[in-house]
Amino acid sequence: MAKIVGIRFKNTAKVYYFAPGKERFKKGDGVIVETARGVEFGTVTIEVKEVDDSEIVQPLKPIIRKATQADLDRLKKNEEKAPEAVKICNEKILARGLDMKLINAEYTFDGSKVIFYFTAPGRIDFRDLVKDLASVFRIRIELRQIGIRDETRLLGGIAPCGRPCCCASCMSDFKKVSIKMAKTQGLSLNPSKISGLCGRLMCCLAYENDYYKEVYKKMPKIGSDVVSPDGKGTVISVNMLTYNVKVKIEAKDGSVVYKDFQLEQLKSIKANTDDEKLTKDELEIAKSFRED
């Protein structure tokens, strides 16, 4: 077991572990730590606790110290300078005619480097752009190409559900999401219904997929024939949360009745299989979500 303090950095939901040392830290405290990127400002999200050695990567780097008012002032100053850096960089990009979209700029805590985040349809030769920027800022310049999902994580926004985007608020890492997850959960495969702000499949499709995957195997196929307490019928829809199945039953007089039954009330069920292939239309929808 090892004692750790959980630290979160700007624009990330991921928590990193650091060695606490002898000083006591409370949740919400600002701290100065050394990372692979250099000295950075972070916020305590997990107070001192013990975790299993398998959960950490040794050796743990120590927290340098608690943040002072001077550190907070420096952090604020760096944030205030970022918009001007974005403006200058955009001007240089236009002057060079580069096919890239600048997303944001960020100064490192000590002010020794400015990082520019951008998206582009392919690889960009930005060596001359770096020289232009270095001549203006007189500090180290780093240009970092990111994907469209990373762009949404960096900028944030309100998702279709009305809450902040998961990637910018609570997700530590991107999870693999597929069109099959949406199909398994019985969602409409209309791209506008299952897309996030980034235009890719919503990350939340992966949250409860394990549950839906198991229930999907038990539920009857839409359009299959079943035997209900009221006679033979055809499955119209299913509710995988309540195990409820809506069945269309045709009476002898030609009338049609739609009735709900619990799964255990039905017989001769042709259940779904986990290895079912996507239809041609579903494959086309899946292709539209692939990264460029």
Side-chain angles (χ1 to χ4, degrees):
M1 302 291 283
K3 287 186 177 181
I4 61 92
V5 171
I7 307 294
R8 181 176 291 173
F9 299 99
K10 180 183 176 183
N11 295 329
T12 64
K14 189 171 183 177
V15 176
Y16 296 85
Y17 291 161
F18 288 83
K22 296 180 180 180
E23 198 169 1
R24 295 184 64 85
F25 299 97
K26 295 181 180 179
K27 189 173 182 180
D29 283 348
V31 292
I32 306 301
V33 296
E34 185 179 352
T35 70
R37 288 176 38 170
V39 177
E40 289 193 79
F41 174 92
T43 304
V44 175
T45 56
I46 301 176
E47 297 183 8
V48 180
K49 74 170 187 177
E50 289 189 345
V51 298
D52 192 85
D53 290 335
S54 62
E55 297 182 33
I56 60 177
V57 178
Q58 295 285 6
L60 281 179
K61 290 189 176 182
I63 295 175
I64 297 174
R65 56 180 167 81
K66 281 187 179 180
T68 63
Q69 186 58 48
D71 294 325
L72 296 174
D73 292 341
R74 174 185 286 187
L75 186 68
K76 184 179 180 181
K77 186 177 180 180
N78 288 341
E79 291 175 347
E80 291 173 346
K81 291 192 299 182
E84 181 64 20
V86 170
K87 179 182 176 182
I88 293 172
C89 188
N90 268 323
E91 291 173 353
K92 299 298 182 183
I93 290 172
L94 289 173
R96 290 284 179 184
L98 297 173
D99 186 15
M100 56 192 291
K101 176 186 174 185
L102 185 64
I103 304 303
N104 205 353
E106 177 187 3
Y107 282 86
T108 55
F109 176 73
D110 59 7
S112 63
K113 180 170 69 174
V114 58
I115 304 170
F116 295 95
Y117 300 92
F118 72 94
T119 58
R123 295 187 65 180
I124 300 292
D125 184 355
F126 49 69
R127 287 174 291 184
D128 291 333
L129 176 61
V130 170
K131 293 177 183 177
D132 292 343
L133 295 172
S135 66
V136 174
F137 294 99
R138 302 291 180 180
I139 56 176
R140 291 175 59 199
I141 303 295
E142 180 180 338
L143 271 79
R144 188 174 298 176
Q145 186 169 356
I146 60 176
I148 192 168
R149 297 177 80 188
D150 295 293
E151 177 184 351
T152 302
R153 164 181 274 182
L154 201 61
L155 298 179
I158 302 300
C161 62
R163 296 177 61 84
C165 292
C166 295
C167 59
S169 59
C170 61
M171 277 180 57
S172 58
D173 295 295
F174 287 117
K175 295 182 179 181
K176 186 177 180 180
V177 189
S178 68
I179 197 74
K180 195 169 184 179
M181 290 181 178
K183 181 179 180 181
T184 298
Q185 295 174 34
L187 301 176
S188 167
L189 298 189
N190 183 337
S192 65
K193 300 292 186 182
I194 53 178
S195 301
L197 294 187
C198 60
R200 304 304 182 201
L201 287 167
M202 294 188 295
C203 296
C204 57
L205 291 176
Y207 290 170
E208 298 175 346
N209 188 62
D210 289 342
Y211 167 81
Y212 282 104
K213 193 174 179 181
E214 289 303 312
V215 177
Y216 182 76
K217 298 175 186 177
K218 303 174 183 177
M219 301 301 285
K221 289 185 177 182
I222 304 297
S224 64
D225 294 329
V226 294
V227 177
S228 74
D230 293 353
K232 291 184 179 180
T234 304
V235 176
I236 302 301
S237 64
V238 297
N239 187 320
M240 286 186 279
L241 292 176
T242 61
Y243 284 83
N244 190 274
V245 181
K246 185 178 287 294
V247 180
K248 173 185 175 184
I249 302 172
E250 294 186 9
K252 294 181 179 179
D253 60 3
S255 62
V256 176
V257 176
Y258 294 88
K259 195 168 182 179
D260 293 333
F261 297 95
Q262 284 295 298
L263 180 62
E264 62 267 20
Q265 294 179 279
L266 303 176
K267 298 179 181 179
S268 302
I269 293 177
K270 186 179 182 181
N272 296 292
T273 59
D274 193 37
D275 59 349
E276 287 183 350
K277 295 182 179 180
L278 297 175
T279 65
K280 185 177 180 180
D281 289 341
E282 290 166 351
L283 286 171
E284 288 299 315
I285 294 173
K287 288 179 183 179
S288 69
F289 285 106
R290 289 179 182 172
E291 295 284 353
D292 297 329

